Amino acid sequence: MCGIAGLQVRDPSLEPRLGELLTGMLHQAAERGPDSAGVALYGDARLTPPGHSAVSLLAPGDASAAEIAALVGGDTAAVTVSQSVVVHSPSLPVADLERALRGAFPTAVVTGRGTDLAVLKGVGHPDVLAEEFGLRAATGRQGIAHTRMATESAVTPEGAHPFSVDENVCLVHNGSFANHATVRRELRAEGIAFDSENDSEVGARFVAAQLAAGHDLEKALRLLCERFDGFYTLLVTTGDTFAVVRDAIACKPAVVAETDAWVAMASEYRYFAHLPGIESARIFEPEPEEVYTWQR
Amino acid sequence: MAALTTTVVDLSQESARDLNSALHKASPGTSWHVTHPGGAHNLAVGLTTGLDVVIDGPAGYYCAGMNQRATVTVHGNAGTGVAENMMSGTVRVRGSASQSAGATAHGGLLVIDGDASARCGISMKGVDIVVGGDVGHMSAFMGQAGRLVVCGDAGDALGDSLYEARVYVRGKVKSLGADCVEKEMRAEHVAELAGLLKSADRDDDPSAFRRYGSARELYHFRVDNSSSY
């Protein structure tokens, strides 16, 4: 099991409430994954000022946020949140910021990169982590949350979701890929490096490789359906896209709810119960191997 | 005799286990009102007597599972496996139901006013299921006995590997599963369907439905296929 919750806000008046709404969803998802949890926040000005390039990493332990920012240099700033650090810059492009960070910290585990995107994850109970993230106060246009019950690899911060291995792209997974070792081997042969032994990371790396090959997200997810065996409900986001896909059997749960003001996806209906306007939302369970996308 | 009082159980104060424990000790004919269910799992599970239980809000997984004799009404949506393995009684979901509604149920009546998703009535063994809206893929998969009535549309692979369960669909069927075929709607089927719709308090016209059942090609061993084993 794992729990998935995601919310894309369409009505700007709800943006200040993104974190509050997502906290309620994450709390409901805790039962499905008490091992570890993570969130991705698009446009949370507390962590990533608007338009700033941002790189998230697992906290190296012995360096403070200020020391990290100083070592990366230039106009970068950094903030420590729970077991993660978010480094951001108003001037450096995302790729340059990541390169500078890796230069200063060769052993850093980078967990996300993008424009005003913060990825926070760690080991622990989801409710405790949500408190440490200050999630309730988060704002923004889109957020996803994941609670993990580990099956394919160890309970580590690296193994927690979301997996964000390409600029602005985040992936969370409920299920288990049966052929992840084979696909990982193929991707490694193409020169792609991995941060964990987690099967879901292979899905994220595969999607990133398809995007790099010029496919759009919808096509990338169709190709994933063709290549991967096993069980999966996936929620994948970019800066403005929210996408859901399930395997051919669709055995892992997924519910989508949609109003004019927002679209949300969850493992169970109850995660939505507190969302404004849920009474009149369009609610459905995604069909197997059909890629659903919403553009903000 | 109808109960004069209704016992209220507030799930914002008590646990699902408290609720089930109280229901298991309750006298037949008593009424129960469950508030603030919040989508909790395993509500009103394993009831064996003629209780009337109203759940005022969304229910989680396996609501009213293994039900015998009781009437359970959910005023909201229900999660995976509502009324799974029900033996008798009535379960009604006023909203929609998630996957595997009525799975393996042996008897009783399950009514879902909204939609049911994938595998509704999987391995049904005698239950009657009436769905007001649509059902998802592989509904009535390996259904052995009972009736599934779908007032909306059915998804892919309806009735795959069906044994003797009967399926009635008013709307479109996306595709039929292995060994499931459309069958003639004779007078006795119209009458049977009319009874099922009535028991679900629905006024759909029974003559607007089509009937599906097993071609019985799959579950009898054919000696011609012996070389495949």
Side-chain angles (χ1 to χ4, degrees):
Chain A
M1 289 207 293
C2 285
I4 296 177
L7 180 64
Q8 184 187 68
V9 170
R10 293 165 172 173
D11 176 355
S13 73
L14 280 177
E15 290 185 10
R17 295 182 61 196
L18 179 79
E20 170 211 332
L21 298 173
L22 201 58
T23 302
M25 297 178 81
L26 180 63
H27 170 69
Q28 293 293 339
E31 272 180 20
R32 288 189 64 87
D35 295 343
S36 51
V39 298
L41 298 166
Y42 291 86
D44 182 6
R46 301 171 316 153
L47 305 174
T48 55
H52 280 216
S53 296
V55 174
S56 305
L57 63 150
L58 295 179
D62 47 358
S64 71
E67 287 164 345
I68 291 169
L71 276 170
V72 177
D75 52 12
T76 54
V79 54
T80 300
V81 185
S82 181
Q83 298 160 48
S84 300
V85 176
V86 182
V87 182
H88 58 88
S89 160
S91 63
L92 285 175
V94 173
D96 292 354
L97 179 61
E98 182 179 352
R99 202 172 301 117
L101 176 74
R102 287 186 185 280
F105 288 92
T107 57
V109 178
V110 174
T111 54
R113 70 278 281 160
T115 306
D116 54 29
L117 166 65
V119 176
L120 311 173
K121 56 191 195 180
V123 170
H125 191 275
D127 285 341
V128 174
L129 290 169
E131 280 298 316
E132 292 178 9
F133 296 162
L135 186 59
R136 199 170 291 279
T139 61
R141 58 190 183 274
Q142 183 167 273
I144 61 177
H146 183 273
T147 62
R148 181 171 185 229
M149 185 176 284
T151 56
E152 302 297 297
S153 65
V155 178
T156 59
E158 292 86 346
H161 303 220
F163 285 98
S164 176
V165 302
D166 193 11
E167 204 169 314
N168 294 324
V169 184
C170 290
L171 173 146
V172 291
H173 173 206
N174 173 202
S176 52
F177 292 126
N179 60 339
H180 66 94
T182 307
V183 181
R184 185 188 288 112
R185 207 158 40 238
E186 291 168 2
L187 293 173
R188 277 191 174 138
E190 293 172 20
I192 293 170
F194 285 78
D195 291 329
S196 73
E197 290 304 308
N198 185 290
D199 60 318
S200 309
E201 186 187 348
V202 184
R205 299 276 175 199
F206 180 88
V207 169
Q210 304 314 315
L211 294 173
H215 299 303
D216 64 13
L217 183 60
E218 189 171 338
K219 174 77 186 220
L221 292 175
R222 278 188 214 294
L223 292 168
L224 181 143
C225 290
E226 286 176 21
R227 186 65 193 92
F228 281 76
D229 289 333
F231 300 128
Y232 50 91
T233 287
L234 298 173
L235 172 61
V236 186
T237 49
T238 69
D240 55 1
T241 314
F242 190 88
V244 176
V245 68
R246 304 170 83 186
D247 65 76
I249 306 291
C251 75
K252 293 298 176 187
V255 196
V256 170
E258 194 179 7
T259 71
D260 290 342
W262 48 264
V263 57
M265 180 264 170
S267 298
E268 300 171 48
Y269 166 80
R270 62 179 168 143
Y271 306 3
F272 301 142
H274 62 290
L275 297 184
I278 186 68
E279 316 75 37
S280 53
R282 187 172 84 91
I283 297 171
F284 65 95
E285 298 198 1
E287 296 288 324
E289 290 197 329
E290 193 163 318
V291 179
Y292 297 81
T293 60
W294 289 265
Q295 205 78 28
R296 189 173 185 273
Chain B
M1 197 175 77
L4 297 174
T5 57
T6 297
T7 308
V8 177
V9 179
D10 182 350
L11 287 182
S12 67
Q13 305 297 319
E14 297 185 69
S15 69
R17 184 165 289 186
D18 294 335
L19 169 70
N20 288 332
S21 175
L23 293 174
H24 294 162
K25 291 175 194 147
S27 304
T30 52
S31 292
W32 295 74
H33 190 92
V34 181
T35 60
H36 303 106
H41 299 328
N42 310 320
L43 298 180
V45 162
L47 308 187
T48 56
T49 54
L51 310 177
D52 184 57
V53 181
V54 172
I55 298 174
D56 203 356
Y61 288 11
Y62 312 124
C63 178
M66 301 177 282
N67 186 53
Q68 291 185 62
R69 301 184 187 89
T71 297
V72 179
T73 307
V74 180
H75 288 278
N77 296 320
T80 296
V82 61
E84 54 107 25
N85 216 47
M86 174 160 65
M87 305 306 283
S88 63
T90 301
V91 175
R92 183 157 201 152
V93 179
R94 292 291 185 183
S96 291
S98 186
Q99 306 185 44
S100 307
T104 74
H106 289 249
L109 173 69
L110 169 61
V111 181
I112 297 160
D113 290 345
D115 299 327
S117 71
R119 293 175 279 272
C120 178
I122 181 173
S123 197
M124 53 195 285
K125 295 177 171 67
V127 67
D128 290 326
I129 304 175
V130 180
V131 180
D134 304 337
V135 295
H137 65 281
M138 298 205 89
S139 287
F141 176 53
M142 293 186 77
Q144 289 138 65
R147 285 85 54 100
L148 171 64
V149 178
V150 182
C151 301
D153 300 335
D156 270 321
L158 177 70
D160 193 278
S161 308
L162 198 64
Y163 290 78
E164 291 302 308
R166 288 199 284 282
V167 181
Y168 297 99
V169 182
R170 177 168 184 163
K172 292 190 290 291
V173 173
K174 198 167 175 194
S175 68
L176 292 174
D179 212 31
C180 182
V181 292
E182 185 176 349
K183 294 186 169 182
E184 185 192 356
M185 193 79 175
R186 296 193 297 269
E188 76 230 48
H189 303 116
V190 175
E192 172 180 78
L193 177 58
L196 288 164
L197 290 165
K198 186 161 184 285
S199 68
D201 299 323
R202 295 194 63 88
D203 56 6
D204 305 69
D205 175 7
S207 65
F209 285 72
R210 292 161 178 263
R211 179 171 73 103
Y212 302 88
S214 175
R216 302 190 177 98
E217 293 289 319
L218 203 57
Y219 72 84
H220 289 306
F221 179 72
R222 287 165 66 110
V223 71
D224 302 351
N225 295 335
S226 60
S227 62
S228 306
Y229 291 90

